[in-house]
Amino acid sequence: MRDIISNMAVVEAVPPAAYAADNTPAAIDLRGFDAAMLAIHVGVGGIAFSGTNKVEFKLTHSDDDATYAAVTIDDVQGLDSVGAGGIVKALIAAHAAPSITRVGYVGNKRFLKLLADFSGTHGTATPLSATVIKGRARDRPVA
């Protein structure tokens, strides 16, 4: 059977918009699901990104939705490395074409937060968003 909609849920981690400053990360509750993947969507860069004028996507996780810690490479799949503070994607060079970055979460915490952390000067906004796909639902169908 090809039914996927009854086995997964999709929630926004970063609502789609043009951003020139940090988002306010929402807590994503993974209770009732045994798998998760983040899809980070980035449009054409609004500025010439550099080591100073950049956007770093920082993923953190928590057991209690109060104390968050940065993920490490052991908590994710699909990446070669994770930067300090849980950086799973960094825009530090020209970004001339839209992209989607997939990050599998394999850590064992209940809550996730994704921050688009802006540094430097961003006179023109960059379109971006992020979605969390929660899979392997324990109770089906997923509403």
Side-chain angles (χ1 to χ4, degrees), residues 85-141:
I87 299 169
V88 295
K89 179 171 182 65
L91 301 173
I92 55 172
H95 192 75
S99 67
I100 298 175
T101 301
R102 299 180 326 150
V103 179
Y105 178 72
V106 294
N108 61 0
K109 305 289 185 187
R110 177 175 166 183
F111 297 94
L112 297 176
K113 282 188 178 182
L114 183 67
L115 170 67
D117 186 21
F118 284 71
S119 298
T121 303
H122 293 264
T124 303
T126 298
L128 56 93
S129 68
T131 305
V132 176
I133 299 98
K134 301 188 285 185
R136 290 196 215 142
R138 292 184 203 137
D139 296 316
R140 297 180 198 107

Side-chain angles (χ1 to χ4, degrees), residues 1-140:
M1 189 162 147
R2 300 207 276 176
D3 175 22
I4 192 169
I5 198 166
S6 298
N7 297 304
M8 60 188 275
V10 178
V11 294
E12 288 180 344
V14 179
Y19 292 85
D22 296 3
N23 66 303
T24 301
I28 306 299
D29 190 349
L30 300 178
R31 184 170 71 173
F33 294 88
D34 291 327
M37 183 185 79
L38 291 90
I40 301 169
H41 307 257
V42 178
V44 174
I47 64 163
F49 297 113
S50 67
T52 303
N53 299 320
K54 61 188 174 183
V55 181
E56 296 173 319
F57 292 87
K58 296 180 177 180
L59 183 60
T60 57
H61 57 175
S62 171
D63 284 323
D64 59 8
D65 193 25
T67 304
Y68 280 83
V71 298
T72 67
I73 194 64
D74 294 332
D75 299 313
V76 297
Q77 290 179 317
L79 302 175
D80 294 328
S81 64
V82 171
I87 299 169
V88 295
K89 179 171 182 65
L91 301 173
I92 55 172
H95 192 75
S99 67
I100 298 175
T101 301
R102 299 180 326 150
V103 179
Y105 178 72
V106 294
N108 61 0
K109 305 289 185 187
R110 177 175 166 183
F111 297 94
L112 297 176
K113 282 188 178 182
L114 183 67
L115 170 67
D117 186 21
F118 284 71
S119 298
T121 303
H122 293 264
T124 303
T126 298
L128 56 93
S129 68
T131 305
V132 176
I133 299 98
K134 301 188 285 185
R136 290 196 215 142
R138 292 184 203 137
D139 296 316
R140 297 180 198 107

